[in-house]
Amino acid sequence: MESDPTRFEGHAAPSPLVVLGNLRQYVNNSLTQPEPRRIIGTNKKWLLSFGDPCAELVEFLGFSKDGDDWLPPRPDRTDETPYENPENLLLDDVEKELEALMIQQPDEEKRMAKVHFTFEPGLTAIEKMLGSHDYRKSLSSRAADLTKSEEHPWYAGLGTTEDMHDELLGFAYDCQISCDPSNGPYYLECLQGLAAGRQSEELQTKAAIEASSGKSSFKDVREAYYFFGIDDPRTHDDDNIVGTFQARLADAPRQEAELRRALLIIGQDRSSARIEHIATNAVNTYEQALTWLNATEDMTNEFLISMFTVKINENPNDKDLARKAVGLIAEKRNDQTLKAWLDTGELGETEMDIGQAYNRLGISDRRIDDAVILSAYTVLAHDQPSQLHDLKRALAAISRSKGGSSSFDDVLGPEFRVPRTDEQLASEPVGLGNIGNTCYLNSLLQFYFTIKPLRDLVLNFEDYKMPVDTFAASRKQVGSRKVSRKEIERAQKFVEELRRLFNNMIESPKAQVIPEQELARLTLLSSSHEETLTIRRQSILSTTRPSLSDVHMQTEQGPLPTKALAAEPKELPKDNEMVDNTSPLRSSTGAQPGADNDASSEGTLVDATLPTKNYMKLNNPFTSPPASSKSGDEENHPPRDDAMEISGQKDEILVQSPTQMTASSLSQTQLGDGEPLKRDVSMIDVSQAPEFGPPIRPPPVPPRKVIDDEKKAMQEEVEMGAQQDVTEVIANVLFQLQCAIKPDYVDASGEQIDAVKQLFFAKQTSYTTNDKGEIRSKEEFTSNIIVDVASGPRDVYAALDGAFDVQEVEVGGKMEPQYTTISQLPPVLQILVQRAQFDPEKKQSFKSNHHLELKDLIYLDRYMDAPKDKDLASRRQDCWQWKKELARLELQRVKLANTKLGIDLPDALDAAAQYIERCTKIAMPDPIEIEPQVIESLKQAAAEARADLEALDARIGHLSASISSQFSDLRKLPYRLHSVFIHRGQVSSGHYWIYIYDFVLSKWRKYNDEYVTDVADPQKEIFEVHSDARPATPYFLVYVREGMEDQLVNAVCRNIAKTQREEVPDVRMVDYDAERSAQMSKWARDEESTVPLDNKESEQIYRAEPDMPPQNW
């Protein structure tokens, strides 16, 4: 203006606000207009605001000079907000900064400049950046204030706001399901809640469609778990839930639809294909077929057919579904044998020629021994798994050519095993048929049969039998307690049944015999359990059984009666038998068998704690979860002690029958264990009750069929006995054997000492030292030594050490050291491997599958009681100190060797140093400053940690070697391994079999129910560790004193009875008429009768023996 006043005459100098506004306008035009206009060089607005003095500034912003004119910036027109192009970002930032500067100018300047402008609020800008600025909003009439204070969490759950339209809420739900399907139940609950809260027909329709398609909300999931009595799903695994479902289904088959729906919801929530398959009862794939049959991929055809039989026995209506399952498995495996079985009902096909068999296995020399043949088969089976069926056919043909060699039996399995000849049967043990969840019983009976003194005792029971009508019988004491005459008679009945089985095992011409149900019942069920069942059955069969209103000698009130019901109460139908799950305590001496602490057969439970109350409470699945948690029992949950209010505020409902109730009785309604429930009865007017009103409590338990058949009752007892703990069964057998026989003598305590006690029972002495140095000792009998494998794999010596080493025990509130020794060894030593463990976090039992390294020969000198042997005592003290130090060092090693990275600490420190060192060498715009000594410190720490780890390993190795060799020279008490009980499965189910060594033929046999086979490779099958997910593990070991094997054990005892054909005398055929005429002539000649024969009397003549006179004569 100073250089050319004439040109700018009438123009005032622009204020800062005007200059800022002009520049903002130019920048905004560049960003928003498709083609911003050129700025003419003579433009007075431009010259007064900027001009050449500001050329550097505008060029920084992207303006360029074209002659005398200026060209605005040309940003990327395709770039959309939020911008990514650097030039667009610069101009956008400049525009916002100019707006901020304009806002900061004085108000007076704004009024003088007469500049009117509006700026976009920051919230709007943020919404635009997030793409949420312009969206469809809900109508005010549809918007409901759910909380009055802030948006309901359901909006946040779907990633929406309260003002969004219903259509957007539905869209948001679809997006959440697509991105995060695992949390679908939560999103569906949000949708259902918003649909109800907004009273939106559109959302309610969408929620209904989702629910009808099989999707479940959190509410549905909670109700499903409550339906099965599960408060905390984290404490229940799939097996537990499936077991609960199957128990409920068997208990209430009419609720199958509800049970399956609840199970399906749980399966979807847990993403468990197995649970979903069981819930839908669908069998359309190979995997579903295995699940439905409760089978595994490695099951043989015979096992599959056994599972098929079990299924159709449980429910004959499932036969078609079971056949479909077997068909799918046969198709998947391309198994012609299974397909043939479906068509014919028999397993089998055309035998392979012996020449073809050897060629199929690639064997040219037929003179090779069985071990080489098995090796060839094993290699081909590994390389050609799809041809396993054909390979077994070849091996079976070779076995037949060798007269049915038992070396191949275990590999061939039941499907291809060659039947035995009479000569072979006479030289081999007999198998025992499974009569229903009795695989453990069969293993136990096989073991006892091979113990020669026990077998002789049973077979010659009359020589040992205890007279019941004697004074000695009335004072008989077994296991530190007196036994009754009833127990003696029951025990003798058990031995009689056992003798019948043993005789059958000796004389039967068959390869297997089947134990009687009565023997199974007496073996598996103790006398205390039998009494419990007897009382319960009598209460069920009694015609004068109490009504449901008489519980625990107290009156249990039902719902308010209607007038009709009050006038004439209807008779209730009889209830079916309810299982009373009780478990008595176990006595370590065998006095009262009844422990629940270890693994099981198919039905023999491991460490199962059973409820003892005989009343029930039902969970209401339509209310909130109860505050207290239940036990983890998968089938029968005991009722909680807290009572449920009638108002329905609690979840548990006491099951009662409808009985007559008055207003006065309502004030003191008894619930639970008799505690009265206070109620305000002032508002209750019974006279005004409707004639047919709904009850205020649920109806009683549905009636069940009464067991009135003796055979079914026995079967029930066997099944209940099969649920008993394994050690409980062993203790029950020994207890009954002792009850049945006479004592050899009675010790000072009154305890009976007999053949069984001297054969199986050891004496243990425990020594406890108090804080004054005083030593107390206690000696007691024990039938087995309990060892533990919970903390990890170990050998049998390390496991035995855990039973005898010093440990801290609580005595009178103080911890005192205690150790145990053996004061008397039995000829037959039994070792129980404690595999049932309890997880305190999951609050459920589990089976420890850690490997136990067995030894053929062990020496027990180190465990003997020798108070005067100072050398042995010193060795023990040294060994205990080494073990204490070893445990401490192993804990230190774990800290050094285990990190969250999966590598040891030295390697982790080295990796950290290398990473930081690489970071310092990477060129970055804003580098991280790292002091050099940090890297050196990490490397030094890694070296020190590695040295510590090496030192620990060396010391641990030295201590382990010292412990291992501490007693290696003590070899005066050797024991040989005789039998090994094996369990495969989990804590509450599985299968048992037993390996027994034949000291005469020097070979191991496998006793698997009805099949007894030679073990081709004992080292691999019995002694080596197995890498399966659920390996077969030793559970019970039996050792016998070396040098006494011939006296103690005998694996084979057969004397097959020859069946003689009875000679039936021929019947003399005569001519009846001729014979009658001759007889009458004889009587006439002798004149012995003057009475003629009439037709009726003639029919009474004994035609086959004509020499006899008629009966009338």
Side-chain angles (χ1 to χ4, degrees), residues 819-854:
Y819 70 93
T820 305
T821 61
I822 302 175
S823 52
Q824 178 180 310
L825 277 169
V828 180
L829 180 68
Q830 302 177 125
I831 301 175
L832 170 66
V833 185
Q834 179 73 34
R835 293 197 174 273
Q837 307 295 330
F838 183 77
D839 189 336
E841 294 183 359
K842 296 182 178 179
K843 296 182 179 179
Q844 64 183 21
S845 300
F846 69 94
K847 178 190 173 186
S848 171
N849 287 318
H850 291 307
H851 177 62
L852 178 64
E853 181 184 340
L854 305 180

mmCIF file of all heavy atoms in Angstrom, residues 819-854:
data_model
loop_
_atom_site.group_PDB
_atom_site.id
_atom_site.type_symbol
_atom_site.label_atom_id
_atom_site.label_comp_id
_atom_site.label_asym_id
_atom_site.label_seq_id
_atom_site.Cartn_x
_atom_site.Cartn_y
_atom_site.Cartn_z
ATOM 1 N N TYR A 819 8.648 -92.467 60.517
ATOM 2 C CA TYR A 819 9.019 -93.364 59.435
ATOM 3 C C TYR A 819 8.469 -94.751 59.738
ATOM 4 O O TYR A 819 8.090 -95.059 60.871
ATOM 5 C CB TYR A 819 10.534 -93.394 59.218
ATOM 6 C CG TYR A 819 11.321 -94.080 60.318
ATOM 7 C CD1 TYR A 819 11.654 -95.435 60.232
ATOM 8 C CD2 TYR A 819 11.738 -93.372 61.444
ATOM 9 C CE1 TYR A 819 12.379 -96.060 61.232
ATOM 10 C CE2 TYR A 819 12.456 -93.988 62.447
ATOM 11 C CZ TYR A 819 12.779 -95.326 62.344
ATOM 12 O OH TYR A 819 13.493 -95.961 63.337
ATOM 13 N N THR A 820 8.417 -95.601 58.711
ATOM 14 C CA THR A 820 7.795 -96.918 58.827
ATOM 15 C C THR A 820 8.771 -97.987 58.364
ATOM 16 O O THR A 820 9.567 -97.765 57.429
ATOM 17 C CB THR A 820 6.515 -96.982 57.974
ATOM 18 O OG1 THR A 820 5.649 -95.918 58.351
ATOM 19 C CG2 THR A 820 5.784 -98.295 58.176
ATOM 20 N N THR A 821 8.700 -99.138 58.992
ATOM 21 C CA THR A 821 9.509 -100.291 58.593
ATOM 22 C C THR A 821 8.613 -101.516 58.485
ATOM 23 O O THR A 821 7.455 -101.498 58.912
ATOM 24 C CB THR A 821 10.625 -100.569 59.615
ATOM 25 O OG1 THR A 821 10.019 -100.874 60.883
ATOM 26 C CG2 THR A 821 11.539 -99.362 59.766
ATOM 27 N N ILE A 822 9.165 -102.581 57.925
ATOM 28 C CA ILE A 822 8.449 -103.853 57.818
ATOM 29 C C ILE A 822 9.008 -104.781 58.888
ATOM 30 O O ILE A 822 10.202 -105.132 58.850
ATOM 31 C CB ILE A 822 8.610 -104.481 56.422
ATOM 32 C CG1 ILE A 822 8.114 -103.517 55.348
ATOM 33 C CG2 ILE A 822 7.859 -105.797 56.341
ATOM 34 C CD1 ILE A 822 8.347 -104.022 53.941
ATOM 35 N N SER A 823 8.167 -105.188 59.807
ATOM 36 C CA SER A 823 8.625 -106.083 60.870
ATOM 37 C C SER A 823 8.382 -107.549 60.525
ATOM 38 O O SER A 823 8.993 -108.430 61.132
ATOM 39 C CB SER A 823 7.922 -105.733 62.189
ATOM 40 O OG SER A 823 6.517 -105.690 62.021
ATOM 41 N N GLN A 824 7.483 -107.793 59.562
ATOM 42 C CA GLN A 824 7.229 -109.180 59.142
ATOM 43 C C GLN A 824 6.762 -109.169 57.697
ATOM 44 O O GLN A 824 5.785 -108.516 57.358
ATOM 45 C CB GLN A 824 6.176 -109.820 60.041
ATOM 46 C CG GLN A 824 5.811 -111.254 59.656
ATOM 47 C CD GLN A 824 4.761 -111.837 60.588
ATOM 48 O OE1 GLN A 824 4.898 -111.772 61.798
ATOM 49 N NE2 GLN A 824 3.711 -112.393 60.019
ATOM 50 N N LEU A 825 7.479 -109.911 56.851
ATOM 51 C CA LEU A 825 7.142 -109.970 55.430
ATOM 52 C C LEU A 825 6.242 -111.162 55.149
ATOM 53 O O LEU A 825 6.460 -112.252 55.688
ATOM 54 C CB LEU A 825 8.398 -110.084 54.578
ATOM 55 C CG LEU A 825 9.144 -108.798 54.258
ATOM 56 C CD1 LEU A 825 10.495 -109.108 53.638
ATOM 57 C CD2 LEU A 825 8.326 -107.906 53.335
ATOM 58 N N PRO A 826 5.235 -111.005 54.280
ATOM 59 C CA PRO A 826 4.410 -112.149 53.877
ATOM 60 C C PRO A 826 5.049 -112.864 52.686
ATOM 61 O O PRO A 826 5.856 -112.270 51.945
ATOM 62 C CB PRO A 826 3.098 -111.488 53.471
ATOM 63 C CG PRO A 826 3.525 -110.162 52.917
ATOM 64 C CD PRO A 826 4.732 -109.743 53.700
ATOM 65 N N PRO A 827 4.701 -114.089 52.450
ATOM 66 C CA PRO A 827 5.208 -114.768 51.242
ATOM 67 C C PRO A 827 4.739 -114.094 49.955
ATOM 68 O O PRO A 827 5.472 -114.048 48.975
ATOM 69 C CB PRO A 827 4.637 -116.183 51.368
ATOM 70 C CG PRO A 827 4.322 -116.340 52.813
ATOM 71 C CD PRO A 827 3.928 -114.995 53.306
ATOM 72 N N VAL A 828 3.519 -113.567 49.978
ATOM 73 C CA VAL A 828 2.958 -112.890 48.807
ATOM 74 C C VAL A 828 2.805 -111.414 49.166
ATOM 75 O O VAL A 828 1.998 -111.057 50.029
ATOM 76 C CB VAL A 828 1.598 -113.489 48.387
ATOM 77 C CG1 VAL A 828 1.057 -112.755 47.163
ATOM 78 C CG2 VAL A 828 1.747 -114.978 48.094
ATOM 79 N N LEU A 829 3.584 -110.569 48.509
ATOM 80 C CA LEU A 829 3.606 -109.131 48.818
ATOM 81 C C LEU A 829 2.794 -108.373 47.771
ATOM 82 O O LEU A 829 3.063 -108.466 46.572
ATOM 83 C CB LEU A 829 5.037 -108.608 48.829
ATOM 84 C CG LEU A 829 5.212 -107.120 49.150
ATOM 85 C CD1 LEU A 829 4.850 -106.843 50.601
ATOM 86 C CD2 LEU A 829 6.634 -106.666 48.857
ATOM 87 N N GLN A 830 1.808 -107.610 48.228
ATOM 88 C CA GLN A 830 0.932 -106.855 47.341
ATOM 89 C C GLN A 830 1.262 -105.362 47.455
ATOM 90 O O GLN A 830 1.353 -104.823 48.559
ATOM 91 C CB GLN A 830 -0.535 -107.100 47.685
ATOM 92 C CG GLN A 830 -0.915 -108.568 47.603
ATOM 93 C CD GLN A 830 -2.351 -108.823 48.015
ATOM 94 O OE1 GLN A 830 -3.121 -109.405 47.264
ATOM 95 N NE2 GLN A 830 -2.738 -108.410 49.196
ATOM 96 N N ILE A 831 1.379 -104.697 46.306
ATOM 97 C CA ILE A 831 1.720 -103.273 46.259
ATOM 98 C C ILE A 831 0.639 -102.560 45.462
ATOM 99 O O ILE A 831 0.402 -102.877 44.293
ATOM 100 C CB ILE A 831 3.100 -103.033 45.609
ATOM 101 C CG1 ILE A 831 4.187 -103.766 46.401
ATOM 102 C CG2 ILE A 831 3.410 -101.548 45.517
ATOM 103 C CD1 ILE A 831 5.567 -103.685 45.756
ATOM 104 N N LEU A 832 -0.011 -101.612 46.093
ATOM 105 C CA LEU A 832 -1.061 -100.823 45.448
ATOM 106 C C LEU A 832 -0.467 -99.500 44.958
ATOM 107 O O LEU A 832 0.117 -98.750 45.737
ATOM 108 C CB LEU A 832 -2.205 -100.545 46.425
ATOM 109 C CG LEU A 832 -3.261 -99.537 45.966
ATOM 110 C CD1 LEU A 832 -4.035 -100.079 44.790
ATOM 111 C CD2 LEU A 832 -4.209 -99.185 47.109
ATOM 112 N N VAL A 833 -0.634 -99.203 43.678
ATOM 113 C CA VAL A 833 -0.140 -97.959 43.091
ATOM 114 C C VAL A 833 -1.264 -96.927 43.154
ATOM 115 O O VAL A 833 -2.287 -97.077 42.468
ATOM 116 C CB VAL A 833 0.323 -98.164 41.638
ATOM 117 C CG1 VAL A 833 0.942 -96.879 41.093
ATOM 118 C CG2 VAL A 833 1.329 -99.300 41.563
ATOM 119 N N GLN A 834 -1.073 -95.899 43.969
ATOM 120 C CA GLN A 834 -2.104 -94.871 44.160
ATOM 121 C C GLN A 834 -2.088 -93.913 42.958
ATOM 122 O O GLN A 834 -1.235 -93.041 42.853
ATOM 123 C CB GLN A 834 -1.814 -94.091 45.447
ATOM 124 C CG GLN A 834 -2.788 -92.977 45.747
ATOM 125 C CD GLN A 834 -4.130 -93.504 46.207
ATOM 126 O OE1 GLN A 834 -4.200 -94.515 46.863
ATOM 127 N NE2 GLN A 834 -5.179 -92.814 45.871
ATOM 128 N N ARG A 835 -3.034 -94.082 42.045
ATOM 129 C CA ARG A 835 -3.065 -93.244 40.837
ATOM 130 C C ARG A 835 -4.183 -92.203 40.874
ATOM 131 O O ARG A 835 -4.166 -91.279 40.082
ATOM 132 C CB ARG A 835 -3.223 -94.116 39.588
ATOM 133 C CG ARG A 835 -2.007 -94.988 39.330
ATOM 134 C CD ARG A 835 -1.963 -95.537 37.924
ATOM 135 N NE ARG A 835 -0.732 -96.250 37.666
ATOM 136 C CZ ARG A 835 0.391 -95.687 37.238
ATOM 137 N NH1 ARG A 835 0.414 -94.384 37.023
ATOM 138 N NH2 ARG A 835 1.477 -96.407 37.026
ATOM 139 N N ALA A 836 -5.137 -92.356 41.734
ATOM 140 C CA ALA A 836 -6.214 -91.374 41.822
ATOM 141 C C ALA A 836 -5.723 -90.160 42.597
ATOM 142 O O ALA A 836 -5.264 -90.280 43.729
ATOM 143 C CB ALA A 836 -7.429 -91.976 42.511
ATOM 144 N N GLN A 837 -5.784 -89.002 41.984
ATOM 145 C CA GLN A 837 -5.346 -87.757 42.604
ATOM 146 C C GLN A 837 -6.479 -86.748 42.540
ATOM 147 O O GLN A 837 -7.447 -86.921 41.804
ATOM 148 C CB GLN A 837 -4.097 -87.210 41.891
ATOM 149 C CG GLN A 837 -2.958 -88.209 41.765
ATOM 150 C CD GLN A 837 -2.377 -88.611 43.105
ATOM 151 O OE1 GLN A 837 -2.386 -87.831 44.061
ATOM 152 N NE2 GLN A 837 -1.869 -89.842 43.192
ATOM 153 N N PHE A 838 -6.337 -85.669 43.312
ATOM 154 C CA PHE A 838 -7.368 -84.631 43.348
ATOM 155 C C PHE A 838 -6.763 -83.300 42.952
ATOM 156 O O PHE A 838 -5.709 -82.905 43.468
ATOM 157 C CB PHE A 838 -7.983 -84.532 44.746
ATOM 158 C CG PHE A 838 -9.103 -83.526 44.840
ATOM 159 C CD1 PHE A 838 -10.361 -83.844 44.335
ATOM 160 C CD2 PHE A 838 -8.919 -82.279 45.397
ATOM 161 C CE1 PHE A 838 -11.397 -82.938 44.401
ATOM 162 C CE2 PHE A 838 -9.932 -81.367 45.471
ATOM 163 C CZ PHE A 838 -11.187 -81.697 44.966
ATOM 164 N N ASP A 839 -7.399 -82.637 41.991
ATOM 165 C CA ASP A 839 -6.972 -81.321 41.539
ATOM 166 C C ASP A 839 -7.718 -80.263 42.349
ATOM 167 O O ASP A 839 -8.921 -80.075 42.166
ATOM 168 C CB ASP A 839 -7.277 -81.161 40.040
ATOM 169 C CG ASP A 839 -6.662 -79.885 39.466
ATOM 170 O OD1 ASP A 839 -6.431 -78.945 40.248
ATOM 171 O OD2 ASP A 839 -6.429 -79.829 38.248
ATOM 172 N N PRO A 840 -7.017 -79.538 43.252
ATOM 173 C CA PRO A 840 -7.736 -78.558 44.092
ATOM 174 C C PRO A 840 -8.256 -77.372 43.301
ATOM 175 O O PRO A 840 -9.209 -76.728 43.722
ATOM 176 C CB PRO A 840 -6.664 -78.129 45.107
ATOM 177 C CG PRO A 840 -5.356 -78.438 44.450
ATOM 178 C CD PRO A 840 -5.598 -79.617 43.561
ATOM 179 N N GLU A 841 -7.628 -77.063 42.153
ATOM 180 C CA GLU A 841 -8.104 -75.928 41.363
ATOM 181 C C GLU A 841 -9.388 -76.276 40.627
ATOM 182 O O GLU A 841 -10.368 -75.535 40.646
ATOM 183 C CB GLU A 841 -7.016 -75.496 40.373
ATOM 184 C CG GLU A 841 -5.774 -74.929 41.060
ATOM 185 C CD GLU A 841 -4.750 -74.454 40.048
ATOM 186 O OE1 GLU A 841 -5.002 -74.582 38.827
ATOM 187 O OE2 GLU A 841 -3.696 -73.947 40.482
ATOM 188 N N LYS A 842 -9.398 -77.432 39.941
ATOM 189 C CA LYS A 842 -10.596 -77.857 39.224
ATOM 190 C C LYS A 842 -11.612 -78.533 40.144
ATOM 191 O O LYS A 842 -12.752 -78.769 39.739
ATOM 192 C CB LYS A 842 -10.224 -78.824 38.089
ATOM 193 C CG LYS A 842 -9.369 -78.198 37.014
ATOM 194 C CD LYS A 842 -9.093 -79.201 35.902
ATOM 195 C CE LYS A 842 -8.276 -78.581 34.789
ATOM 196 N NZ LYS A 842 -7.987 -79.556 33.709
ATOM 197 N N LYS A 843 -11.154 -78.869 41.364
ATOM 198 C CA LYS A 843 -12.017 -79.521 42.338
ATOM 199 C C LYS A 843 -12.629 -80.806 41.790
ATOM 200 O O LYS A 843 -13.829 -81.050 41.879
ATOM 201 C CB LYS A 843 -13.123 -78.563 42.807
ATOM 202 C CG LYS A 843 -12.589 -77.346 43.545
ATOM 203 C CD LYS A 843 -13.710 -76.451 44.034
ATOM 204 C CE LYS A 843 -13.161 -75.255 44.784
ATOM 205 N NZ LYS A 843 -14.226 -74.350 45.262
ATOM 206 N N GLN A 844 -11.757 -81.617 41.207
ATOM 207 C CA GLN A 844 -12.214 -82.907 40.700
ATOM 208 C C GLN A 844 -11.051 -83.887 40.698
ATOM 209 O O GLN A 844 -9.879 -83.497 40.698
ATOM 210 C CB GLN A 844 -12.786 -82.767 39.292
ATOM 211 C CG GLN A 844 -11.777 -82.325 38.249
ATOM 212 C CD GLN A 844 -12.429 -82.143 36.888
ATOM 213 O OE1 GLN A 844 -13.623 -81.971 36.779
ATOM 214 N NE2 GLN A 844 -11.625 -82.166 35.850
ATOM 215 N N SER A 845 -11.385 -85.167 40.715
ATOM 216 C CA SER A 845 -10.377 -86.210 40.723
ATOM 217 C C SER A 845 -9.857 -86.461 39.313
ATOM 218 O O SER A 845 -10.534 -86.215 38.329
ATOM 219 C CB SER A 845 -10.959 -87.504 41.299
ATOM 220 O OG SER A 845 -11.395 -87.311 42.624
ATOM 221 N N PHE A 846 -8.632 -86.956 39.248
ATOM 222 C CA PHE A 846 -8.050 -87.337 37.963
ATOM 223 C C PHE A 846 -7.090 -88.491 38.192
ATOM 224 O O PHE A 846 -6.666 -88.764 39.319
ATOM 225 C CB PHE A 846 -7.323 -86.149 37.319
ATOM 226 C CG PHE A 846 -6.061 -85.730 38.046
ATOM 227 C CD1 PHE A 846 -4.822 -86.212 37.664
ATOM 228 C CD2 PHE A 846 -6.123 -84.862 39.123
ATOM 229 C CE1 PHE A 846 -3.669 -85.849 38.327
ATOM 230 C CE2 PHE A 846 -4.992 -84.487 39.805
ATOM 231 C CZ PHE A 846 -3.748 -84.978 39.402
ATOM 232 N N LYS A 847 -6.777 -89.181 37.121
ATOM 233 C CA LYS A 847 -5.863 -90.307 37.210
ATOM 234 C C LYS A 847 -4.468 -89.878 36.781
ATOM 235 O O LYS A 847 -4.284 -89.277 35.728
ATOM 236 C CB LYS A 847 -6.342 -91.458 36.315
ATOM 237 C CG LYS A 847 -5.397 -92.665 36.335
ATOM 238 C CD LYS A 847 -5.747 -93.681 35.263
ATOM 239 C CE LYS A 847 -4.688 -94.766 35.212
ATOM 240 N NZ LYS A 847 -4.901 -95.701 34.092
ATOM 241 N N SER A 848 -3.482 -90.185 37.622
ATOM 242 C CA SER A 848 -2.084 -89.917 37.284
ATOM 243 C C SER A 848 -1.558 -91.062 36.419
ATOM 244 O O SER A 848 -1.555 -92.220 36.839
ATOM 245 C CB SER A 848 -1.247 -89.791 38.557
ATOM 246 O OG SER A 848 0.133 -89.732 38.239
ATOM 247 N N ASN A 849 -1.111 -90.733 35.212
ATOM 248 C CA ASN A 849 -0.620 -91.755 34.279
ATOM 249 C C ASN A 849 0.902 -91.806 34.216
ATOM 250 O O ASN A 849 1.476 -92.308 33.246
ATOM 251 C CB ASN A 849 -1.171 -91.486 32.873
ATOM 252 C CG ASN A 849 -2.639 -91.829 32.760
ATOM 253 O OD1 ASN A 849 -3.086 -92.850 33.265
ATOM 254 N ND2 ASN A 849 -3.407 -90.980 32.099
ATOM 255 N N HIS A 850 1.570 -91.274 35.250
ATOM 256 C CA HIS A 850 3.029 -91.306 35.250
ATOM 257 C C HIS A 850 3.533 -92.748 35.226
ATOM 258 O O HIS A 850 2.939 -93.645 35.849
ATOM 259 C CB HIS A 850 3.581 -90.582 36.476
ATOM 260 C CG HIS A 850 3.358 -89.098 36.438
ATOM 261 N ND1 HIS A 850 3.743 -88.309 35.381
ATOM 262 C CD2 HIS A 850 2.786 -88.254 37.336
ATOM 263 C CE1 HIS A 850 3.428 -87.054 35.623
ATOM 264 N NE2 HIS A 850 2.837 -86.989 36.786
ATOM 265 N N HIS A 851 4.654 -92.938 34.545
ATOM 266 C CA HIS A 851 5.200 -94.284 34.371
ATOM 267 C C HIS A 851 5.831 -94.783 35.666
ATOM 268 O O HIS A 851 6.536 -94.046 36.366
ATOM 269 C CB HIS A 851 6.254 -94.266 33.264
ATOM 270 C CG HIS A 851 6.932 -95.584 33.054
ATOM 271 N ND1 HIS A 851 6.262 -96.720 32.665
ATOM 272 C CD2 HIS A 851 8.238 -95.959 33.194
ATOM 273 C CE1 HIS A 851 7.100 -97.721 32.563
ATOM 274 N NE2 HIS A 851 8.313 -97.292 32.881
ATOM 275 N N LEU A 852 5.561 -96.029 35.992
ATOM 276 C CA LEU A 852 6.204 -96.712 37.102
ATOM 277 C C LEU A 852 7.091 -97.805 36.520
ATOM 278 O O LEU A 852 6.604 -98.761 35.922
ATOM 279 C CB LEU A 852 5.164 -97.316 38.043
ATOM 280 C CG LEU A 852 5.727 -98.098 39.234
ATOM 281 C CD1 LEU A 852 6.517 -97.181 40.154
ATOM 282 C CD2 LEU A 852 4.618 -98.798 40.012
ATOM 283 N N GLU A 853 8.383 -97.644 36.690
ATOM 284 C CA GLU A 853 9.336 -98.620 36.138
ATOM 285 C C GLU A 853 9.376 -99.859 37.029
ATOM 286 O O GLU A 853 9.775 -99.796 38.190
ATOM 287 C CB GLU A 853 10.726 -97.985 36.048
ATOM 288 C CG GLU A 853 11.777 -98.922 35.469
ATOM 289 C CD GLU A 853 13.160 -98.313 35.475
ATOM 290 O OE1 GLU A 853 13.270 -97.065 35.569
ATOM 291 O OE2 GLU A 853 14.150 -99.074 35.390
ATOM 292 N N LEU A 854 8.927 -100.972 36.484
ATOM 293 C CA LEU A 854 8.865 -102.224 37.242
ATOM 294 C C LEU A 854 10.193 -102.967 37.155
ATOM 295 O O LEU A 854 10.950 -102.808 36.194
ATOM 296 C CB LEU A 854 7.738 -103.106 36.711
ATOM 297 C CG LEU A 854 6.338 -102.473 36.653
ATOM 298 C CD1 LEU A 854 5.334 -103.466 36.112
ATOM 299 C CD2 LEU A 854 5.911 -101.979 38.018
#
